[in-house]
Amino acid sequence: MDIEFVNHASLLLKEKESYFLTDPWYVSPAFGGWIQNPSPKTELIEKLLSIPANKLNVIISHGHDDHLDDFFIRQHLADATFYVPKFKTNGLSKRIERLTGRYPVELTDEACYVDGVELRCFINPEFTEYDSVVTVVSETDAVIHANDNWHEYPAALTAALNNCLSAIPVENRYFFIQFGIADCFPVNYPSFDSQSANEMIESRFKSYQDATTANLKHLGLDKGYYYANQSLYQYPASWDNGSLYDMAQDFLRRHPGPFVQCTAGIDVKTGQPHDVSNDELFDFLLGRLERFLNNAIGGPIPVKLMTASNQYESGSVGYEASRQVWSRIFNAELTLEAIIIGGMGLIHRPDHNISSIHAKVSKLAYLIQSKLNSNGLNFLMESK
């Protein structure tokens, strides 16, 4: 089985001619504020878009927004076959049905076979009733997609997983599990001073490492993979300690263990990046949108689309917004008027009247939104 890491908790698995994709979250913000950090590689997304729908099986582990991108699923994956855990209530299944027009296949701890690949899901009753560990087992390999289930597993769950994996050699079992803080505590709690917040974060990292290492040992494995931690949100202005992801990586450097941190575009079996460019999807889409605007406007003053990390180019009209805002433009939730009129960004201008450019961008804003709603990302990825 080929195992590629796309981003966050998304893996692309290939067994013979069949593909299995876990937890796609590529464009839309999650929980209103999380963005992908980093964004997936453009070439991997292009590869996904080229897979025939009848060969693609999409596995959603649970209903958190950072594990299913409604826009991407509705626009690009709706014709694939979806698999979700059979929870006590069917809210996740109904959500997938609304996005795709079809009710998904519901997985349990009983084997479900797809082109010779065995799928099961297991729920830790001591964690939550609405998250799951999904196993994908071929004749030679096994992937344990544990996503957010980092808490130490009870004996019954460990036994069930080991029984499921028993036919696969230990060296061919690939265990993926979350490492990192997946909320805003204590960063967004102003009652904690910086020292106290850092101590709490360090303590949480230690708990994650202890629990995930215990789970690895329970499964008889010597090596595992960390993922489901590549997100970013806009921290309070008072926070100057870097991103929680960077802090997690610093902790792992200081306290190395048996886990490898997954990085976007990596071939998990070899540990090497696939032969793809370093172009991230977010940067690619922003560049394509900028090109579309300039081609459509055709004026002597160029339009530049920016985030705060970009340098304003003198002589241009620069539309600056956060990655959260641009992502909401890419998924057609907002238009460019969110920046021009709504105040959700900054506008850098040369020493000229730019009202005519504003007017053209405003008109184009709704055409862009319509194209994204009808064609998805293909509108930008195929635009010249």
Side-chain angles (χ1 to χ4, degrees):
M1 182 188 294
D2 294 334
I3 308 171
E4 292 181 85
F5 178 68
V6 184
N7 75 317
H8 198 56
S10 187
L11 302 166
L12 180 61
L13 317 175
K14 183 184 180 186
E15 175 65 15
K16 298 177 182 175
E17 298 304 313
S18 296
Y19 292 85
F20 299 83
L21 178 69
T22 70
D23 292 1
W25 178 54
Y26 307 139
V27 181
S28 303
F31 312 112
W34 281 21
I35 55 172
Q36 301 80 9
N37 179 48
S39 180
K41 302 296 185 185
T42 303
E43 287 188 26
L44 270 180
I45 300 304
E46 290 176 332
K47 177 179 178 178
L48 272 178
L49 298 180
S50 72
I51 298 172
N54 64 345
K55 298 292 185 182
L56 182 60
N57 304 281
V58 183
I59 301 166
I60 307 296
S61 63
H62 65 293
H64 277 161
D65 288 347
D66 60 318
H67 292 259
L68 70 160
D69 188 325
D70 286 16
F71 168 79
F72 195 89
I73 288 172
R74 184 176 60 250
Q75 294 290 348
H76 299 292
L77 302 177
D79 292 332
T81 303
F82 276 75
Y83 299 83
V84 303
K86 186 175 178 61
F87 293 130
K88 288 188 175 181
T89 58
N90 67 345
L92 175 58
S93 295
K94 297 296 289 183
R95 181 175 174 182
I96 296 299
E97 183 180 39
R98 287 193 297 271
L99 293 171
T100 68
R102 290 171 293 110
Y103 201 81
V105 179
E106 293 182 320
L107 298 174
T108 68
D109 57 2
E110 297 294 325
C112 172
Y113 290 97
V114 182
D115 297 332
V117 175
E118 177 191 284
L119 305 180
R120 300 178 192 248
C121 84
F122 302 86
I123 297 172
N124 181 356
E126 298 181 6
F127 173 40
T128 173
E129 296 178 338
Y130 292 96
D131 202 339
S132 68
V133 178
V134 180
T135 56
V136 184
V137 182
S138 70
E139 293 179 358
T140 57
D141 300 292
V143 168
I144 305 101
H145 173 51
N147 58 90
D148 297 356
N149 290 267
W150 61 267
H151 301 74
E152 186 170 357
Y153 300 155
L157 176 56
T158 298
L161 286 168
N162 281 324
N163 183 62
C164 163
L165 303 171
S166 60
I168 304 301
V170 170
E171 62 272 17
N172 291 352
R173 303 177 191 177
Y174 300 87
F175 181 51
F176 297 86
I177 195 166
Q178 182 188 66
F179 181 90
I181 293 177
D183 54 51
C184 64
F185 177 82
V187 176
N188 284 49
Y189 290 68
S191 58
F192 298 120
D193 60 34
S194 180
Q195 180 178 343
S196 298
N198 281 327
E199 290 172 354
M200 292 176 190
I201 290 170
E202 190 83 359
S203 176
R204 292 185 71 179
F205 287 155
K206 180 67 164 57
S207 295
Y208 300 149
Q209 188 176 54
D210 289 347
T212 55
T213 300
N215 289 333
L216 192 73
K217 291 180 179 177
H218 293 331
L219 296 175
L221 304 177
D222 297 322
K223 180 181 179 181
Y225 300 87
Y226 282 144
Y227 71 162
N229 56 3
Q230 295 181 337
S231 62
L232 182 70
Y233 70 93
Q234 195 162 338
Y235 301 120
S238 59
W239 184 254
D240 58 2
N241 294 324
S243 73
L244 290 171
Y245 176 75
D246 289 338
M247 294 180 75
Q249 299 312 298
D250 178 67
F251 177 92
L252 293 174
R253 283 189 289 270
R254 290 184 286 109
H255 305 280
F259 283 87
V260 174
Q261 172 65 52
C262 290
T263 56
I266 196 171
D267 181 318
V268 172
K269 286 189 172 182
T270 66
Q272 300 298 314
H274 274 271
D275 186 20
V276 297
S277 74
N278 287 323
D279 197 6
E280 293 184 8
L281 182 64
F282 175 87
D283 296 329
F284 177 84
L285 295 176
L286 195 64
R288 284 299 178 93
L289 181 57
E290 178 181 288
R291 181 193 299 181
F292 174 84
L293 287 169
N294 281 304
N295 287 343
I297 293 170
I301 300 175
V303 167
K304 301 297 293 184
L305 306 184
M306 315 163 50
T307 66
S309 63
N310 301 126
Q311 183 85 21
Y312 168 63
E313 294 185 13
S314 178
S316 67
V317 178
Y319 294 97
E320 177 186 328
S322 68
R323 284 184 56 181
Q324 284 87 348
V325 169
W326 287 120
S327 295
R328 293 170 67 188
I329 291 171
F330 295 151
N331 74 1
E333 181 185 346
L334 299 176
T335 75
L336 284 160
E337 287 199 328
I339 303 170
I340 297 170
I341 298 174
M344 298 183 74
L346 301 174
I347 299 166
H348 304 270
R349 57 181 292 274
D351 190 19
H352 302 289
N353 187 318
I354 62 171
S355 59
S356 62
I357 294 177
H358 266 353
K360 292 177 181 178
V361 172
S362 288
K363 288 181 180 179
L364 289 167
Y366 293 93
L367 172 64
I368 291 165
Q369 185 181 51
S370 176
K371 292 285 189 181
L372 288 167
N373 273 322
S374 59
N375 300 329
L377 297 184
N378 290 328
F379 161 60
L380 293 175
M381 299 185 84
E382 295 173 357
S383 65
K384 303 299 183 184

